[in-house]
Each structure stands twice: as C-alpha cells, then as structure tokens.
Amino acid sequence: MAERLGFIGLGAMGLPMAKRLLGGGFPLLAFDQNPAALQALVDAGAEAATSIKDVADNVECVLVSLPTPDVVKIVALGEGGVCEGSRVKTFIDLSTTGPRMAESIATGLAEHDIAQMDSPVSGGVGGAEKGTLAVMVAGPEALWDRYKPALEFIGKPFFVGETPGHGQMIKLLNNYLSATAMVATAEAFVVGAKAGLDPDVMVEVICAGSGMNTAVRDKFPKSILTRTFDYGFRTELMHKDVKLAMEEAEALGVPMWVGQPVKQWWAYSLARGGNQEDFTHMVRYMEEQAGGVEIRSRRNAPKE
Ligand code: NAD
C-alpha cells in the first residue's frame, strides 16, 4: 500500500492536487483552516486532521499548498506548526514562496531534523485537475527518488537540484514570463478591438503564428472572450509572483526593464480589484484606459 501523506492547504490548487494523490492510491491526512475546503477533500476520501500539528504527528511527509510566503513560514515554523510534529521528516512545499523564503524555511526545518523539498507548480487549476502541472523540485536526491512517484500524479516532476530555493527560482522566472505575456497580450487585443478586429480570429491567427503564448492560447478564449473572468488564479498571487521575481533580480544585480511596467500593471489591477479578484479582470482595466473597448467573442452572440 502506498505511503500515507499529509496535505495542508486545500484551495484552488491544493484541492485538485490532493484529489489526484487520492486517485493515485495515496491515503491522505489533510488539514485546512477553512472547514468547507477540508470537507471537500474528506468527501473525496481523505481523513481530516484536527490541526497542522496533528498532520505532522501522524505522517512522515507533509505536502502544503498555501497562498503566501508568510503563511507557509507560519505553517512550517510557527507555534503549532509542522516543525513541532513528532513523526514528520519531509516537508514538500508546492506553494510559490520565492527562493530566499524557501532557503530560510529549509534552514528552520533542518533544526528539527525535517528536510524540505521546494516543489512549486505551474499549469493553473486546469493543470491541477488533469494532473499535468510542471513540478519543479529542489531538495535531497534521496527524497526526490522516494516521492517522485507521488508527484507524478500531480504532474510532470523535474529535479532541479539539491540547492534549496532553486525550484522556486525557476518557478518565479516561469511566472514572470507568464505575467508578462498576459499584459502584452491584453495590449495587443485592446488595440485589435479598437481597430475593429474579431477577437476569435485574432486567437486563431496568433495561435498559428509566432505570437502564440499561454494567454492567447488558453486564458483569452476561456475567460476573456467569454467575459467570465474566472480562470482560477487571483491577481494578488500574480502580483506576488512578479514582485518576488523582481526582488530576486535586484538581489542578483540584474536590471529588469520590462518587469517594471509589468509589475505596475499587476499592482494597479490589485488596487482596483482587491485581493480576491481573478487576474483576468486586469484586461477590463486596460480596456477602460483605451476608451472603453471590449474584447468579446462575436460567436454565439444574439443577433441584433
Ligand atoms: P488559495 O488561496 O485558493 O488556497 C490556499 C488554501 O490555504 C486555502 O484553502 C486556505 O484556507 C488555506 N490556508 C491559508 N492559510 C492557512 C493556514 N494557516 N493553515 C491551513 N490552511 C491555510 O490559493 P491557490 O490558488 O490554491 O494557491 C496556492 C499556492 O499555489 C500559492 O502559493 C500560489 O501562488 C500557487 N499557485 C497557484 C496557481 C493557481 O493557478 N491558482 C498556479 C500555480 C501556483
């Protein structure tokens, strides 16, 4: 029988990832501070823990998918955190925290004889549901060998190396590119809408051409042309990722000219829409600045 694993943080990403592990035959002991989120996984077959420490007292390996670096730090090293667990030996962090936070958590956990594998993921909620995420793993190679079979139910795991934080570094660079593509694509489609182009035709042409990226291929058709703005990733998290990438670049002495306006766009969207809004709303603020154009599919629209 597969090893029983702990899972903490059952939000937009955590819940589908945990369900994939259950589906792969891994029994789970789970916890979330939101009882409804926990119940959703219990309904899928997991056992509910009463606290973070309860998880860490009863399994050797705890996976977490938590919103921000500070929350991961509290869950890992705070009072009643994973570090106080009597049984836990491995902490697999699927969240995006940035390399320096990953390093500091690894150091803190090592004092309690717990090894960290920073293992952030990319591919969105759809990828989490389908088990097609890219998983970027940094940590001790022996643990990679041990937990790779479990991570394969979440997506495609890549071993980045043993240096703590290197999984996070690749993840931030990946998301910097994704965040930049989103802003640039919004600009291109706003210009197209103003010029009178059909946005569905723009998607088809660009996907067959050299401008193709994940915003044009996935995000615009699913959540913007439909005006549903429901892709499943919050502006707050997008802003966090770009900010963390810029901080790393600055610490390494690399100027990021393009990153500055990209970060500004996400900061502006966050100021406009608040913490909980889906990141695709950013396009609405850009449409507004262009004089109120709308990037809306004309297909299946009611005839005037
Ligand atoms: P989310 O806010 O939907 O989920 C976070 C979950 O953690 C919530 O259920 C919340 O109740 C729980 N939680 C928060 N604090 C807790 C605590 N102290 N103890 C126990 N549970 C706690 O966030 P998400 O979108 O699932 O993202 C999770 C992580 O994955 C983030 O680091 C994010 O940057 C990263 N990520 C998200 C996506 C995406 O498309 N949503 C893609 C790749 C990576």
Side-chain angles (χ1 to χ4, degrees), residues 11-13 32-33 65-67 71 95-96 121 124 232-234 237 240:
M13 293 297 283
D32 194 295
Q33 67 179 14
S65 176
L66 296 160
V71 172
S95 335
T96 307
V121 299
F233 186 56
R234 299 201 309 276
L237 298 180
K240 171 193 75 169

Side-chain angles (χ1 to χ4, degrees), residues 8-17 31-35 37-38 52 64-72 74-75 93-97 120-126 128 133-134 168 171 174-175 231-234 236-238 240-241 276 279:
I8 300 170
L10 305 166
M13 293 297 283
L15 182 64
M17 287 193 283
F31 183 72
D32 194 295
Q33 67 179 14
N34 172 2
L38 181 54
I52 293 164
V64 302
S65 176
L66 296 160
T68 61
D70 290 340
V71 172
V72 179
I74 290 167
V75 167
D93 183 10
L94 303 160
S95 335
T96 307
T97 60
V121 299
S122 175
V125 174
L133 296 170
Q168 290 290 340
K171 164 67 183 168
N174 173 80
N175 277 34
Y231 201 76
F233 186 56
R234 299 201 309 276
E236 175 190 36
L237 298 180
M238 185 68 103
K240 171 193 75 169
D241 290 349
Q276 295 304 312
F279 76 104

